[in-house]
Amino acid sequence: MVKEKAVVIIPTYNERENIGRMIEVLEKEIFPQIKDWEMAILVVDDHSPDGTAEIVREKMKDYTNIELSLGEKQGLGAAYARGMKYAMEKMNADWVIEFDADFQHDPAYIPQLLNAAKEGYDYVVGSRYVPGGKVPQDWNFSRRLISSLGSFVARFILFFPFEFKNAPRDLTSGLKATKVKGFLEKIDLDHLLSKGYAYKIEIFYRMVKLGAKVKEIPIEFKNREKGESKMPPKNLTDSLKVVIKLRLQDEKTQSFLKFAVVGFVGYLVNALSLALFTSFSWPEVLCWLLSTELAIISNFTWNNLWTFAKEKFTKPSLVLKKFLQFNLTSAGALVIQTVMGTLLTSLFGPEHRQLYLPLIIVFMVLPYNWLMYNKVIWKVGKKDKKGKNE
Ligand code: GDD
Ligand code: MN
């Protein structure tokens, strides 16, 4: 059987004190333990002024499975983008492993990652934030807090509310194995949102969106012994920018924001037409009924044309059927609002009435409508050949 090929990508910038020893450890201690993979090393160096590349070139004389990619220094993300493309295009990698030169990750984790890969996972991540995982002992409180809070915020913004519970724990870990076929090859490495460390968050997110089966294995992240960290000072804000951009690019999020805007417009239609009709001194019931129905029509129309443009229906008979259905679910919202409003008023008194209304809307009506629109009215279901809803 032909062995799958795994390329260990090591980005380096001024790692002359580490890279030689790292290559030796990998070649002499680690790779010999790995029987069922073809192993190779790719060092991605940005013309380090300390001459890191010279040491790599020396090692390339001793071992035939090492390659070196030299380029301009733009940041860790840019270096990995270059390295990953090199590994896929020039080295025929089936898997790539992201790995640091500085021994903060024990090289002995590499066989563990690859074993998990053989179990059928697509993305195997060394994680500091699962049980058994650790950050360096001497990290002080604020450093720990920033790291774990950062992870939490990123996880929350990217995966709330639907996938939050099962979302991965360590989005920025520097140690992982990634499957090429069906996954890494589908990620646009030329247009990553960040050229810095935050590229890790983006690739993680895209892997999850591609449906990768993710396994997090606990790792101990150790202290750097030699050389210095290259993490740029603006890393935190850069990461936050990436996280927010990713979230806003998400289709569901965009639909939700449109849904909120349409809902607000509906509210304005309702309030303004109510004021107009009552100024004609029409019967009170008629004023409420008509203005509410106008709001429903506005909501239906804009949601169909805009929020759910992909699922929109155009066939007149279907529009009619859906519109009637929409009135029904809207009546459901009306019932929720009336029952809850009356209930809260009788429980806590009428003086907070103006508080109950927005609370009911945000916590009950909004989720109810969103659910109904997605699962009933504009559900992704039977579509005709042109991809339109029947
Ligand atoms: N080619 C290249 N270009 N290599 C770089 C660059 C760059 O601009 N910046 C960093 N590197 C290399 C370093 O030489 C090292 O081998 C590796 O990338 C990791 O860099 P460190 O400077 O040691 O990173 P760190 O220890 O601060 O951060 C580690 O932990 C983070 C999570 O806390 C890394 O594993 C990060 O990837 C990880 O996000
Ligand atoms: Mn490091």
Side-chain angles (χ1 to χ4, degrees), residues 146-311:
I146 289 174
S147 179
S148 55
L149 201 70
S151 252
F152 178 83
V153 170
R155 196 153 57 93
F156 189 83
I157 297 180
L158 287 176
F159 297 107
F160 186 81
F162 302 111
E163 303 131 321
F164 184 65
K165 234 183 84 208
N166 301 319
R169 298 275 142 176
D170 193 346
L171 295 169
T172 57
S173 161
L175 172 67
K176 55 194 44 152
T178 312
K179 187 175 181 170
V180 171
K181 194 157 186 265
F183 297 97
L184 193 61
E185 64 181 6
K186 289 194 176 163
I187 295 176
D188 182 0
L189 296 169
D190 291 322
H191 300 98
L192 292 175
L193 294 170
S194 163
K195 293 198 187 305
Y197 283 49
Y199 87 94
K200 293 207 186 278
I201 302 175
E202 176 171 356
I203 291 194
F204 211 132
Y205 179 78
R206 301 212 183 279
M207 289 295 288
V208 171
K209 289 282 152 186
L210 285 168
K213 274 181 72 190
V214 180
K215 165 109 173 170
E216 284 188 281
I217 62 170
I219 59 159
E220 182 179 345
F221 188 57
K222 284 186 275 195
N223 270 317
R224 192 187 250 274
E225 288 161 23
K226 298 200 171 110
E228 283 155 24
S229 167
K230 279 88 193 175
M231 189 181 280
K234 62 170 178 28
N235 183 49
L236 209 64
T237 46
D238 186 39
S239 303
L240 195 64
K241 261 190 234 159
V242 167
V243 166
I244 290 171
K245 277 189 194 158
L246 286 174
R247 183 74 215 212
L248 289 178
Q249 277 181 5
D250 175 64
E251 259 180 38
K252 261 263 143 61
T253 307
Q254 287 186 3
S255 299
F256 187 80
L257 293 175
K258 290 175 184 171
F259 157 84
V261 170
V262 169
F264 185 69
V265 169
Y267 161 76
L268 289 181
V269 168
N270 201 331
L272 292 176
S273 55
L274 184 66
L276 183 73
F277 298 152
T278 46
S279 77
F280 300 153
S281 7
W282 290 356
E284 186 74 17
V285 188
L286 191 67
C287 294
W288 279 92
L289 205 70
L290 279 182
S291 60
T292 308
E293 189 57 33
L294 280 184
I296 291 178
I297 292 173
S298 162
N299 284 349
F300 180 77
T301 310
W302 296 121
N303 277 325
N304 191 38
L305 294 180
W306 192 44
T307 315
F308 297 98
K310 274 199 172 157
E311 277 79 41

Side-chain angles (χ1 to χ4, degrees), residues 24-25 33 55 74 110 130 161 167 186 203-204 214 226 254 266 278 285 334 340 363 381-382:
E24 288 299 324
V25 170
Q33 301 170 26
I55 297 178
Q74 293 176 303
I110 290 177
V130 293
K186 289 194 176 163
I203 291 194
F204 211 132
V214 180
K226 298 200 171 110
Q254 287 186 3
T278 46
V285 188
L334 197 75
M340 284 310 293
F363 290 107
K382 274 202 262 164

